[in-house]
Amino acid sequence: MTPSRRHFLMGAAALSAAVATPEMVRAAIAREVAAPWALATADLEGDIAPRGMRLVHGRAPAGLEGTLFRNGPGKFRRAGGSATHWFDGDGLMRSFTLNDGAVTLAARFADTPKRRTETELDAVVTPGFGTAGDSRARVGSPDDASAANTAVMVTGDKVWALWEGGSPLEMDAATLATDRFVTLRDDLKGMPFQAHPRFAPDGTVWNVGMQGDQAIVWHLNRDGSLIHAQVLRLPRASYLHDFTATERHLIFVLQPWVFDHRGMPYSTQFAWKPELGTQVLVVDKADLTSTRIYELETFSFFHLGDAWEEADGTIRFDVAANRDASFAIEGARVLVAGRGVVPGEPSVLKLVTLRPDGRAEMASSGVTAEFPKGDPRRAGIERSLTVHVAGERGGRPLPNGLAVQDWKTGQSHAFNFGDDQIMEEAVFVPKPGASAERDAWLVAPSINLAEGVTELHVFDVASVEGGPVATWRADVALPAGFHGAWRG
């Protein structure tokens, strides 16, 4: 189907027309005492100028040079009204640059129309995923509502701050200064470009943008230039934060959290209907009209690992699967409130297998997990390892450790910091001249709650259970981020 801005941007009109009712914080989070993990969503009041981090453990691995870019919300609260959901804070781009054994930290807010409006009014007024906003919002297009707060894509000397509902926001990789919203083609300006692009073995990039039961499928060169864009009709209008891909196929996991009615905030448009089960749509990259549908048990999710396809056509990928959507609806509100009990259960890492004869199955690792990541050298092709954050449990939200799941042996190798740390997503960084999956480092930040600061850790994939081989400590705490990317 030929992409049409009209159909996708109709959602923006509904957005600007449905912002009159302020969001009420639920009784479950109206407690007086702040939780010990509240630092994860504390406000940062301004940019962080470049500063050195202090080495407090181990030594920097030889040959580890580059920058970890991280994105996530950095400010939620203003005097005239605040964001009420974790996904709606102002985007804060962070950089951790490793050079000659030293680490330099910097952070800068994305200069979005949303942030400029709300700084002027000293109030959060823009509708978002879980924040209703109010009539003072200035929303003429999806990009006016962008928090630019979810993920990062590196394109040469620029980084793109990615969101769910609109265009990438280009920032300078060296200074983190905001440049512009990226228009991939003039007639597609403002169409959604989601937060989880998938990198193909041929070096190109695939991504999607969602609007109901339509997805615009983007195919890009590695430098961010457009190869092709096409609209795909989906069998159901599920909430979809992530998709995955093999070398030959795109894979859409359609959970039974489905569009029900228009309204704001965005999350209220969806209804949890477990009786529908979960569908998996497999789409041929060479012909988006060539599709297959698989049926799976009911589960909810935010994040998938890279998929791969075996010689007989069997497709496998992993997912951080949950029983329902309670975290998205209520749990993320508790995190912003900084008090209360997060509902539901932590997600569990599971492996989905799609057979050529139409059968589908899902095997559990039994390990709590989020943010599954694979070796970037094997994106879209067969692999064994998945790294993920771990240690989250009922009553104590947010992870405190890191684990590597080996799907071939069924073993999980993990390190747990204990409840004084909040662990963030790790990225694989291949060792120079090496090719094996285990010949890589994991680079990830954490929030040290006892010290009240952000730390950066390097683990060896081959011995993650031994803990970090090096740790640097900042003199400031940054709020918990979502996703990152490495530039070597």
Side-chain angles (χ1 to χ4, degrees), residues 64-69 96 98 154 427-429 443 484-488:
L64 181 58
E65 305 273 338
T67 299
L68 172 65
F69 294 98
F96 299 85
L98 288 83
V154 179
V427 299
F428 268 82
V429 180
V443 182
W486 177 262
R487 184 181 72 167

Side-chain angles (χ1 to χ4, degrees), residues 310-334:
E310 297 170 356
D312 67 352
T314 297
I315 292 173
R316 303 185 198 272
F317 61 92
D318 34 27
V319 55
N322 211 311
R323 291 179 59 183
D324 56 36
S326 59
F327 178 82
I329 298 168
E330 292 297 337
R333 297 181 183 279
V334 176

Side-chain angles (χ1 to χ4, degrees), residues 9-32:
L9 298 186
M10 281 175 63
L15 190 84
S16 59
V19 296
T21 305
E23 186 67 36
M24 300 301 292
V25 178
R26 303 295 176 95
I29 59 177
R31 298 186 178 181
E32 294 182 1

Side-chain angles (χ1 to χ4, degrees), residues 115-157:
R115 181 169 168 83
R116 291 196 297 270
T117 294
E118 293 175 349
T119 298
E120 175 190 331
L121 298 174
D122 198 18
V124 175
V125 299
T126 309
F129 184 89
T131 301
D134 67 33
S135 59
R136 294 171 290 173
R138 302 167 187 169
V139 181
S141 76
D143 292 344
D144 292 334
S146 174
N149 68 358
T150 309
V152 188
M153 180 172 152
V154 179
T155 58
D157 61 354

Side-chain angles (χ1 to χ4, degrees), residues 5 9 143 167 182-191:
R5 290 182 70 246
L9 298 186
D143 292 344
S167 309
V182 176
T183 298
L184 292 167
R185 200 171 74 198
D186 287 347
D187 62 321
L188 303 178
K189 183 176 181 179
M191 292 184 76

